[in-house]
Amino acid sequence: MSTELRTTGRRKCASARVVIAEGNGKITINGKKFEEYFNTEALRGYILQPLAVTSLTGKIDVSATVSGGGKAGQAGAVRHGLSRALVKFDEEACKSVLKDSGMLTRDSREKERKKPGQPGARRRFQFSKR
């Protein structure tokens, strides 16, 4: 078993490079403290879900580099990357639990592009018969 495991996670336009190692539960995102970077409790809880489900909270250090997208997309990317890293860390214990809870599946929903001659992706200008 290597000391560091590196994986990539993606969500919307965001991508995260996640590195995990055995430690005491320290999490850093782009060189900042976890609580500093993701300042809402909802996003922090969303990211910590894979650790909570696998009972590894406080046993693994996580370091992530995130780029692109907004805060919610970045949180999803970190969660996806962390889930993939945990499977590499301990496949027989983590894979089935994470797969059943849907954390290994990449959420492929992205914003649909705006079409020409329309105000939005699906929105149309009001039709006038006369």
Side-chain angles (χ1 to χ4, degrees):
M1 178 78 57
S2 66
T3 57
E4 281 188 350
L5 294 169
R6 297 172 183 272
T7 53
T8 305
R10 291 187 182 85
R11 168 80 170 98
K12 291 187 176 180
C13 291
S15 66
R17 292 184 307 232
V18 180
V19 180
I20 66 166
E22 289 188 49
N24 56 359
K26 194 174 119 187
I27 302 173
T28 57
I29 312 286
N30 288 352
K32 292 183 180 178
K33 289 181 184 173
F34 176 59
E35 293 80 13
E36 244 177 72
Y37 194 81
F38 291 108
N39 45 17
T40 63
E41 190 60 42
L43 292 179
R44 287 197 295 262
Y46 186 68
I47 291 169
L48 294 175
Q49 279 178 349
L51 293 171
V53 167
T54 55
S55 309
L56 291 170
T57 307
K59 298 175 186 170
I60 288 179
D61 288 341
V62 180
S63 175
T65 307
V66 193
S67 62
K71 291 287 184 187
Q74 288 181 350
V78 171
R79 176 181 181 239
H80 184 230
L82 180 57
S83 300
R84 291 171 78 177
L86 290 174
V87 168
K88 274 188 178 178
F89 179 72
D90 189 5
E91 187 161 354
E92 60 269 358
C94 296
K95 188 167 184 178
S96 60
V97 176
L98 290 169
K99 195 168 178 75
D100 290 343
S101 55
M103 293 185 206
L104 292 176
T105 308
R106 188 232 196 261
D107 192 348
S108 61
R109 295 176 295 174
E110 291 203 21
K111 188 172 182 177
E112 193 174 330
R113 75 177 191 90
K114 181 192 168 301
K115 313 298 187 306
Q118 298 173 19
R122 306 234 171 151
R123 177 106 173 98
R124 304 283 191 264
F125 288 115
Q126 189 171 5
F127 175 73
S128 173
K129 199 166 194 177
R130 286 170 193 79

